[in-house]
Amino acid sequence: MTSSLRRLWKDVEKHEGVGEWDKILKRVYRLAGLGGSRFIRRRAIRDLLAYPELASRIADYMRCTGTADEYYIFAQSIWGHPEQPYPDVNFKVMEGLLRLEPSSSEVFKDPSHSIMASIWEA
C-alpha cells in the first residue's frame, strides 16, 4: 500500500492547490497514517498552517507514524510557530499528546536522551 500511495502522491502533488486540495490532503494523510508511511511528515507543519481544519487528521498521522518523542517535537513546533494563531489547532495537537502510547524503551530511556522520559517522570 505504501508504494502505491507514494506513486499516487507523485502524480497528485503536481496539482497542489488546485481544486479541493484540502480533501485530497485529508485522504492522503489518512491512508499514509493507516499504512505507517512517513513520506509526508516533512510537509505536515506547512499543511497544518495552510489547512487548520485538517489539524485532527494531521496530528493523528504524525502520532501514528512516529515515536512519542517525535510527536512531542512536532507539537512544540506547532505551539511555537509564529504563523499559528488558531487555539483549536493547539487543542487538537494537545489531544494527540494525550493519545500517545510511548514504547517501553521510550519511557525508560535515560531522561537526558528522551523527551518523553523526562515528561513521564515529572
Side-chain angles (χ1 to χ4, degrees):
M1 181 168 128
T2 300
S3 60
S4 299
L5 186 59
R6 270 183 193 261
R7 282 194 303 275
L8 177 66
W9 179 250
K10 284 181 112 177
D11 292 336
V12 170
E13 193 175 27
K14 297 172 192 169
H15 306 287
E16 184 171 353
V18 177
E20 301 206 30
W21 184 248
D22 56 332
K23 290 182 180 179
I24 293 169
L25 280 177
K26 187 175 182 176
R27 289 183 181 117
V28 169
Y29 275 106
R30 172 81 170 151
L31 292 171
L34 289 172
S37 181
R38 297 174 55 97
F39 73 95
I40 55 175
R41 287 180 63 88
R42 65 183 168 268
R43 65 174 287 144
I45 292 175
R46 179 178 47 159
D47 289 338
L48 188 58
L49 294 172
Y51 303 97
E53 67 275 11
L54 299 180
S56 290
R57 184 62 53 94
I58 294 171
D60 286 346
Y61 166 77
M62 294 299 284
R63 184 178 47 80
C64 290
T65 60
T67 64
D69 286 343
E70 289 171 330
Y71 188 86
Y72 184 72
I73 292 167
F74 165 74
Q76 291 285 0
S77 299
I78 292 298
W79 295 332
H81 201 286
E83 295 177 27
Q84 202 307 93
Y86 305 106
D88 289 350
V89 169
N90 292 337
F91 178 75
K92 296 298 182 184
V93 172
M94 176 58 89
E95 275 184 339
L97 276 174
L98 296 173
R99 298 176 72 194
L100 280 175
E101 296 180 18
S103 66
S104 59
S105 63
E106 287 179 291
V107 173
F108 296 111
K109 277 184 188 176
D110 176 14
S112 63
H113 294 98
S114 171
I115 295 166
M116 292 310 295
S118 61
I119 290 170
W120 296 124
E121 289 180 0

